[in-house]
Amino acid sequence: MSEFEGRSVLVTGAARGIGRATALHFAERGADVAANDLDGDGLAELGREIEALGRRALAVPGNVGVEEDARRIVDTSVAELGRLDVLVNNAGVWIIKSLEETSAEEWDRQLDTNLRAAYLLSRRAIPALRESDAACIVNIASIAGLRFTVPHIAYAASKAGVIALTRDLAVELGPDRIRVNAVAPGPIDTQGLLDSLGELDRQSAEQRYLLGRMGRAEDIANAVVFLASGRASYVTGATLPVTGGAELAVRPLF
Ligand SMILES: NC(=O)c1ccc[n+]([C@@H]2O[C@H](COP(=O)([O-])OP(=O)(O)OC[C@H]3O[C@@H](n4cnc5c(N)ncnc54)[C@H](O)[C@@H]3O)[C@@H](O)[C@H]2O)c1
């Protein structure tokens, strides 16, 4: 029997990048998947791939930072798939700007999408998670929540907030046997990263990254699936850096 057979997983920001890879990794291991994003076309394509794996796919479009949407995303997932075992709070936006350059609107957009959403979805999901005998939440934080990387103060604050939320929620939900963990990716080769940084010089990646390559979405998906699995059944409140050692290097990341 596959590892997540009979389980339902909700992944936010799943139309591309890390969220998409994570949704597919769960489906490959037997889970039914509810996938959220703002991008309905991307969700439809992902849904076809999940169904081709023989699993149920549900598209739950919407803006995770908006309370009404967050409520609908969780409620629809639980109603349609019949249960919720794993919530992956992955959707995120990244604006590289110093504090002086950051408008209040940009600050709010990053904090709403990256942090408020994890609060909104987790809170709404708790009653359904309590019904599961293997419930967990996995939040996607960032190396930027652990140390300085580039000038992106709102993003860093949001991701440090995700790490604190992960720790404290793990304490709150421990008595319910709901585990809460986070993955803190280093630089991962996704469209989101490219949109924010511009085209990177991959030729010099060997010099920049300790393991000689940039991270891939699959590297993060593997860590998320591990934290959600029975193999991590005694892990809660943890933030796992998946960075290829990037935070150990003294040289600039980019
Ligand atoms: N790529 C990296 O180097 C890196 C590093 C550290 C952390 N992360 C984190 O990993 C997560 C995924 O990053 P990625 O690189 O795959 O990004 P990405 O931009 O490629 O994908 C993010 C997805 O989230 C969706 N999204 C954005 N705002 C949303 C909202 N309000 N509601 C619903 N969906 C929304 C987008 O439409 C997109 O499909 C983010 O939380 C990001 O901060 C990424």
Side-chain angles (χ1 to χ4, degrees), residues 99-240:
L99 184 134
E100 278 192 293
E101 294 164 341
T102 301
S103 70
E105 184 275 328
E106 289 168 334
W107 178 276
D108 287 347
R109 187 149 58 90
Q110 286 186 91
L111 270 290
D112 287 355
T113 310
N114 301 0
L115 180 58
R116 184 174 197 258
Y119 147 73
L120 289 173
L121 274 101
S122 299
R123 188 170 67 153
R124 192 70 184 178
I126 287 169
L129 291 174
R130 281 200 181 105
E131 300 294 314
S132 166
D133 59 356
C136 74
I137 297 172
V138 183
N139 296 318
I140 305 302
S142 169
I143 185 179
L146 298 167
R147 57 160 276 189
F148 179 85
T149 55
V150 294
H152 53 189
I153 195 160
Y155 181 78
S158 74
K159 294 300 188 179
V162 167
I163 291 168
L165 178 118
T166 299
R167 181 195 60 227
D168 280 26
L169 191 56
V171 174
E172 288 188 22
L173 298 181
D176 290 317
R177 306 292 179 262
I178 300 171
R179 298 183 301 108
V180 187
N181 292 293
V183 175
I188 304 299
D189 193 355
T190 65
Q191 194 58 46
L193 182 109
L194 290 177
D195 288 350
S196 302
L197 281 180
E199 186 57 43
L200 294 167
D201 175 12
R202 285 187 177 71
Q203 297 305 317
S204 64
E206 266 182 43
Q207 286 134 44
R208 281 199 304 254
Y209 301 106
L210 285 188
L211 295 183
R213 66 168 176 87
M214 265 185 100
R216 302 180 187 116
E218 291 70 28
D219 295 318
I220 305 307
N222 276 320
V224 174
V225 166
F226 163 70
L227 287 171
S229 76
R231 283 165 287 136
S233 61
Y234 203 54
V235 181
T236 196
T239 293
L240 176 64

Side-chain angles (χ1 to χ4, degrees), residues 36-85:
N36 152 268
D37 208 286
L38 296 169
D39 169 10
D41 293 342
L43 288 181
E45 200 186 309
L46 172 68
R48 285 191 287 276
E49 283 190 46
I50 291 172
E51 281 166 1
L53 293 165
R55 304 298 159 194
R56 287 189 66 193
L58 178 72
V60 276
N63 183 341
V64 286
V66 173
E67 185 169 14
E68 213 177 289
D69 286 19
R71 202 181 302 137
R72 179 179 45 76
I73 291 161
V74 172
D75 292 357
T76 307
S77 303
V78 175
E80 295 292 321
L81 298 182
R83 59 185 295 147
L84 183 66
D85 301 284

